[in-house]
Amino acid sequence: MQIECPFCGKRDAHEFAYLGDATVARPDPAVPDAARAFYEYVYLRDNPAGSHRELWYHSAGCHSWLVVTRDTRTHAIETIAQVGAR
Amino acid sequence: MQYSAFSLLKNALTGHRYWKPAWREAQPRDRYDVVIVGGGGHGLATAYYLAKNHGITNVAVVEKGYIGSGNVGRNTTIVRSNYLLPGNVPFYEWSMKLWEGLERDINYNAMVSQRGVLNLCHSDAQRDAFARRGNAMRLHGVDSELLEKEQVRKIAPYLNFDDARFPIQGGLLQPRGGTVRHDAVAWGYARAGDRRGVDIIQNCEVTGFRIDNGKILGVETSRGFIGASKVGMAVAGNASRVAGMAGMRLPIESHVLQAFVSEGIKPLIDTVITFGAGHFYISQSDKGGLVFGGDIDGYNSYAQRGNLPTVEDVCEGGMALMPMIGRVRMLRQWGGIMDMSMDGSPIIDRTPVDGLYLNAGWCYGGFKATPASGWCFAHLIARDEPHAVAAAYRLDRFATGHVIDEKGQGAQPNLH
């Protein structure tokens, strides 16, 4: 598996570290059911068989965080973007 | 037919032409008391213990592929109970005890071989951690021995004791650990369940659950609807997908773990050796192949195959531990899908749906747990209350903070 970093080009997957699901968002600690919201944020995952948005870190390269959309059934990468890029 | 030395001799004398299939080719009936989703080791063991321990014989095991095609046939066959935490040790030790009596119980040669499991340590801190774990095991009545370097050398003189980064200083040995022929476990439980009336339905994929008013009515399958008073899910690897059909989100990610077998060589390794620091472990099968593995690939996957960087990493670990392995050719390599839970420990519990039960989250330690998992899941399904040794494996422990995190990694499944 190779990941095409927007800054460094196509690089071997072992240059990257994997964090996980990019779709979960840290909840507001001030909301009334914050305990429930944090439980879901920290522990529960959709874990789809198919297209999955996930965070990779180019640790042996440019140190950028990337959002990679990848098919978990085939490992084929669909899109790659820097975190926060529009 | 009861298998015995006599039956073997009789069939040998008649040219092995009269062996009967080990289990019936069952067709799905309209309704069962219990349907188990997943014909892997855990599902088959559950069905067997439902029949044997609880007298519930109107049971079907539905399997989307064939028996033994999933993780029960993809692991590296190691059994052990060398755990640290009180939620885990009694459960895995119960499993170890069931392994010890399994072949007699199910009348099947599963090649249970208690050749020992040796964990290597490379620093004072690691030795302290092993001493703690060994003592925790002994407090639970589990055998463990802390070994010095020279004792390890006697067991495995071919290891690289003077590696610059990870010199071997000693090890923790569980003599009762070992290996079990994994396919035979699936076949043996299938046959034993079948003999007690369990229907094993292969090539029958569950496509949905029929739920009314929060109560389970049965399962929709590729071969039609099957009614059931109770349904148990034992589909580790695909637990999120199957539980998702019942509207649940689980604290689980699916990851791929690779395993490897070398060409057959003469007897070399008569135990199981784990090199935790280098992410490598190895044993030798009775056919002579070196069976080894390492870490999961580390990213979500349902592909049942991994990538080359992990292959390279595992082989580097092997070379660091026992350089002679470089002269052996790798024969086969494959992948299986692991239910990586958020704390590295499994779940055996009820679900919010009445009559629907969950057995999931085995990470890459499911094979050794097969007998106890079946025993405890059957207990839960039959009596609607958890078995004492599996009481900590609750689904709500993540919400209440009672996680069982052996490695202390936190909610990061690819690190467990």
Side-chain angles (χ1 to χ4, degrees):
Chain A
M1 194 161 81
Q2 290 183 320
I3 296 175
E4 188 163 359
C5 173
F7 307 100
C8 313
K10 235 177 198 187
R11 306 305 277 264
D12 205 285
H14 80 262
E15 284 191 11
F16 297 80
Y18 181 76
L19 183 67
D21 194 326
T23 62
V24 292
R26 189 180 173 84
D28 177 359
V31 296
D33 62 341
R36 184 87 207 160
F38 268 92
Y39 155 65
E40 292 181 1
Y41 162 67
V42 173
Y43 292 113
L44 299 190
R45 297 290 178 269
D46 289 337
N47 192 21
S51 191
H52 186 234
R53 270 166 58 82
E54 55 199 24
L55 290 165
W56 289 81
Y57 175 61
H58 199 179
S59 54
C62 63
H63 290 207
S64 41
W65 279 97
L66 305 175
V67 182
V68 176
T69 309
R70 189 179 54 93
D71 192 320
T72 58
R73 292 167 303 185
T74 62
H75 302 157
I77 291 172
E78 292 149 18
T79 63
I80 300 177
Q82 191 192 4
V83 169
R86 287 161 201 268
Chain B
M1 185 208 301
Q2 183 78 6
Y3 292 158
S4 63
F6 176 71
S7 76
L8 188 62
L9 185 65
K10 195 174 103 187
N11 281 286
L13 292 175
T14 51
H16 293 293
R17 276 168 298 172
Y18 302 106
W19 289 108
K20 298 270 188 309
W23 61 86
R24 293 166 291 131
E25 187 70 40
Q27 300 305 315
R29 297 207 300 267
D30 291 344
R31 192 174 168 77
Y32 292 92
D33 291 340
V34 179
V35 167
I36 304 295
V37 184
H42 292 218
L44 294 166
T46 304
Y48 169 65
Y49 291 121
L50 274 170
K52 183 188 175 227
N53 295 352
H54 305 281
I56 302 172
T57 55
N58 186 18
V59 176
V61 177
V62 292
E63 162 59 41
K64 73 173 175 184
Y66 59 90
I67 297 305
S69 59
N71 290 337
V72 72
R74 290 170 182 268
N75 57 74
T76 45
T77 77
I78 296 164
V79 301
R80 55 184 176 85
S81 57
N82 53 359
Y83 282 73
L84 171 71
L85 298 179
N88 276 332
V89 191
F91 174 84
Y92 285 102
E93 177 56 13
W94 180 232
S95 208
M96 199 66 233
K97 290 207 170 92
L98 290 173
W99 284 123
E100 288 174 327
L102 180 75
E103 294 162 304
R104 189 169 291 247
D105 186 29
I106 62 175
N107 180 231
Y108 204 93
N109 179 11
M111 295 163 70
V112 176
S113 166
Q114 293 182 285
R115 57 184 70 183
V117 172
L118 173 63
N119 305 148
L120 300 173
C121 67
H122 316 276
S123 66
D124 290 349
Q126 212 182 355
R127 188 206 299 269
D128 288 349
F130 276 10
R132 181 180 175 223
R133 182 142 60 95
N135 285 331
M137 289 160 65
R138 287 187 166 216
L139 286 172
H140 283 94
V142 184
D143 59 322
S144 72
E145 286 172 33
L146 196 61
L147 302 185
E148 297 299 325
K149 180 177 177 177
E150 290 314 310
Q151 293 171 288
V152 174
R153 202 189 291 274
K154 266 193 187 146
I155 296 173
Y158 43 80
L159 298 182
N160 180 10
F161 284 81
D162 303 313
D163 183 79
R165 177 66 184 85
F166 296 116
I168 295 167
Q169 290 195 359
L172 183 67
L173 176 71
Q174 185 186 13
R176 283 165 61 245
T179 59
V180 181
R181 171 84 199 279
H182 53 192
D183 304 304
V185 173
W187 300 331
Y189 271 123
R191 173 174 169 273
D194 178 86
R195 291 175 95 200
R196 288 176 181 266
V198 172
D199 277 2
I200 293 158
I201 304 164
Q202 304 183 71
N203 301 307
C204 179
E205 182 172 2
V206 169
T207 54
F209 294 103
R210 196 176 287 180
I211 297 165
D212 183 46
N213 232 343
K215 166 121 188 59
I216 195 86
L217 299 179
V219 292
E220 307 283 356
T221 77
S222 54
R223 292 166 68 177
F225 175 75
I226 303 173
S229 312
K230 294 179 175 183
V231 175
M233 295 180 271
V235 292
N238 284 292
S240 296
R241 296 173 69 192
V242 176
M245 297 178 201
M248 298 167 65
R249 267 177 102 210
L250 298 180
I252 285 172
E253 285 180 3
S254 296
H255 286 252
V256 59
L257 175 67
Q258 303 190 65
F260 311 83
V261 171
S262 79
E263 59 188 328
I265 58 173
K266 287 186 176 178
L268 170 70
I269 303 173
D270 61 357
T271 182
V272 178
I273 300 171
T274 80
F275 174 39
H279 312 295
F280 180 81
Y281 62 94
I282 188 163
S283 63
Q284 188 170 18
S285 80
D286 292 355
K287 277 195 294 189
L290 301 178
V291 183
F292 56 98
D295 269 341
I296 54 176
D297 271 36
Y299 45 82
N300 286 46
S301 174
Y302 283 93
Q304 289 190 324
R305 59 184 166 76
N307 271 293
L308 292 172
T310 307
V311 178
E312 193 174 17
D313 187 60
V314 169
C315 292
E316 281 171 358
M319 287 298 289
L321 178 70
M322 42 187 296
M324 59 146 75
I325 202 176
R327 304 296 297 272
V328 177
R329 282 168 295 193
M330 198 159 88
L331 194 65
R332 292 184 289 125
Q333 157 258 2
W334 65 95
I337 302 306
M338 311 291 112
D339 256 15
M340 298 304 296
S341 71
M342 284 287 178
D343 63 355
S345 295
I347 298 159
I348 302 177
D349 204 354
R350 286 163 291 222
T351 69
V353 178
D354 192 20
L356 181 63
Y357 303 84
L358 178 68
N359 177 323
W362 291 97
C363 298
Y364 38 81
F367 177 67
K368 73 177 93 68
T370 304
S373 168
W375 186 284
C376 296
F377 199 37
H379 182 103
L380 176 76
I381 292 169
R383 303 198 183 176
D384 244 325
E385 60 188 37
H387 189 280
V389 299
Y393 297 150
R394 297 170 63 107
L395 178 57
D396 68 359
R397 68 174 185 266
F398 302 92
T400 60
H402 294 86
V403 291
I404 312 164
D405 192 341
E406 282 274 340
K407 285 173 81 178
Q409 296 284 24
Q412 188 63 34
N414 62 348
L415 299 182
H416 285 295

